[in-house]
Amino acid sequence: MIRRERLTEQFCRLVSIDAPSYGERQMGDYLRKKLESLGFTVEEDRAGDCYGGNCGNLYAHRKGKGNPLLLSMHMDTVEPSGGKRAIVHPDGRITSDGTTVLGADDMSGAAAVLEALQHLKEETLPTRELEILFSIGEEKHVKGAKVFDFSKIRAKDSIVLDMSGEIGTAAIQAPSQIAFTVTIHGRASHAGFAPQDGVHAILIASNAVARMPMGRVGEDTTVNIGRIQGGLASNIVPETCTVLGELRSFSHEKALAQLSKIKEIFEKEASVLGGSVVFAEDICYCAYRTAKDARSVREFREACLKTGVEPVFRSTFGGSDQNKLSEHGITGIVMASAMHQVHSCQEYTSVDELEKTAEIVSEILQMTE
């Protein structure tokens, strides 16, 4: 059976390891040892080198019966994360001390998987062929998975443990996300003596942003400008201005079309005032939708019902490593894995939810037919 005390201790140990994005070395070393002790062969790639990090993605494989399954989680944690300490309250709720995030995102999933594997090993129960991907830099728009060599993967089905919400919830649809940076170039001049000689980069940016669609654009697309920075002093017509934004859509084609419109607006406003723009985009990940009759969906539903949980399938407007898995032909879901109020110092989990997550995972791992 799943051992609650051991599971809780495992979770607390995991969150105590500092693992900021691109600084996952200690976490990678710890997880490698745990996986090897459970019979996995483990490889580490050089993903960290791509981003100035100190650790690569971990890929683990263990032979078994039946259809192979890929489990995916990420090692990194959002800030503030240094010196995290889990506090287990009398009612089973687990929080940080309030000065950092807890790190349940994504260590609740990792703890549940490790406990399920340990339980199955102790009971000598047969398991299916398993692959596990622990990625780096997921919180930086799935950067680790972006450079992973997916030719290693045997599985065609996946379960990503990386979502908040009630246990039994799973996402089967997620959007494309495109980040963009616009650098506007004008011409500096003295704002008092010769403002007419300048080309006001911030004004160009302001005019463009005022013309842009913002917020929810239609039913399935959003656009946001998150940061504008420019100028040197109040008496100088600003020569440069930088605008950072993003857009998301359940339709990748709509996302690309919206991006094209935004680029056109900035270029038009720059030309009107005699400036220029450099437009750079980063397609962080592409939209996917997993069919309700897909194997991963069916197996998750069955595991939930066996453990007394009602399965619920929905869409999410957040991305995960599943976006990248889907791009490479690996069909899957993102399951709620005992994390709440993530990306805040109010993040929490509970022993009951950790246990239930481990039970669901255990059932899925035993599906050898």
Side-chain angles (χ1 to χ4, degrees), residues 43-94:
E43 302 174 20
E44 180 180 338
D45 67 14
R46 302 186 65 86
D49 294 347
C50 299
Y51 308 111
N54 63 4
C55 184
N57 299 307
L58 294 186
Y59 165 72
H61 173 255
R62 191 176 75 182
K63 293 181 179 179
K65 300 180 179 180
N67 289 294
L69 175 70
L70 173 65
L71 298 175
S72 178
M73 293 144 283
H74 63 86
M75 293 187 280
D76 60 321
T77 307
V78 298
E79 301 296 346
S81 66
K84 301 185 304 300
R85 184 171 66 90
I87 299 174
V88 183
H89 299 272
D91 63 356
R93 185 182 175 100
I94 307 175

Side-chain angles (χ1 to χ4, degrees), residues 148-163:
F148 181 71
D149 179 8
F150 281 94
S151 67
K152 296 177 180 292
I153 303 297
R154 300 165 171 81
K156 296 299 182 183
D157 306 294
S158 57
I159 293 181
V160 175
L161 290 89
D162 186 20
M163 192 172 73

Side-chain angles (χ1 to χ4, degrees), residues 143-341:
K143 286 296 193 293
K146 192 171 187 176
V147 297
F148 181 71
D149 179 8
F150 281 94
S151 67
K152 296 177 180 292
I153 303 297
R154 300 165 171 81
K156 296 299 182 183
D157 306 294
S158 57
I159 293 181
V160 175
L161 290 89
D162 186 20
M163 192 172 73
S164 59
E166 296 300 316
I167 301 299
T169 305
I172 58 173
Q173 182 181 27
S176 291
Q177 182 189 27
I178 304 177
F180 57 88
T181 301
V182 191
T183 305
I184 300 101
H185 295 281
R187 184 170 58 249
S189 67
H190 195 288
F193 292 110
Q196 70 282 356
D197 294 336
V199 175
H200 205 293
I202 294 178
L203 180 59
I204 293 171
S206 300
N207 290 344
V209 171
R211 283 188 56 202
M212 277 178 56
M214 200 72 69
R216 194 166 298 282
V217 182
E219 294 182 356
D220 60 359
T221 306
T222 62
V223 177
N224 185 59
I225 295 297
R227 183 179 180 185
I228 300 177
Q229 185 174 14
L232 295 174
S234 62
N235 63 347
I236 303 174
V237 173
E239 184 174 20
T240 60
C241 181
T242 303
V243 179
L244 276 66
E246 67 144 55
L247 58 91
R248 303 185 188 213
S249 180
F250 284 134
S251 164
H252 191 64
E253 291 71 23
K254 287 184 181 180
L256 292 174
Q258 196 63 242
L259 182 72
S260 180
K261 290 179 183 179
I262 293 169
K263 182 178 181 181
E264 182 181 341
I265 289 170
F266 274 96
E267 290 175 341
K268 177 66 179 297
E269 294 303 324
S271 68
V272 168
L273 294 180
S276 62
V277 300
V278 176
F279 197 96
E281 68 264 14
D282 176 14
I283 299 177
C284 304
Y285 42 78
C286 296
Y288 73 88
R289 183 179 182 88
T290 299
K292 290 186 177 181
D293 62 352
R295 182 188 299 274
S296 54
V297 174
R298 298 198 314 268
E299 290 181 344
F300 178 76
R301 180 186 293 112
E302 181 181 342
C304 285
L305 294 175
K306 281 186 176 180
T307 55
V309 175
E310 185 65 29
V312 176
F313 298 97
R314 66 175 181 84
S315 301
T316 176
F317 225 56
S320 73
D321 284 344
Q322 182 58 50
N323 288 76
K324 286 297 173 185
L325 303 186
S326 293
E327 287 179 39
H328 290 272
I330 304 168
T331 302
I333 63 171
V334 186
M335 64 176 281
S337 47
M339 58 175 82
H340 302 277
Q341 295 188 29

Side-chain angles (χ1 to χ4, degrees), residues 316-363:
T316 176
F317 225 56
S320 73
D321 284 344
Q322 182 58 50
N323 288 76
K324 286 297 173 185
L325 303 186
S326 293
E327 287 179 39
H328 290 272
I330 304 168
T331 302
I333 63 171
V334 186
M335 64 176 281
S337 47
M339 58 175 82
H340 302 277
Q341 295 188 29
V342 299
H343 294 201
S344 79
C345 293
Q346 289 73 51
E347 183 183 14
Y348 70 93
T349 186
S350 73
V351 177
D352 285 347
E353 287 194 326
L354 287 170
E355 181 181 28
K356 187 58 68 175
T357 302
E359 289 176 355
I360 293 171
V361 172
S362 177
E363 290 294 336

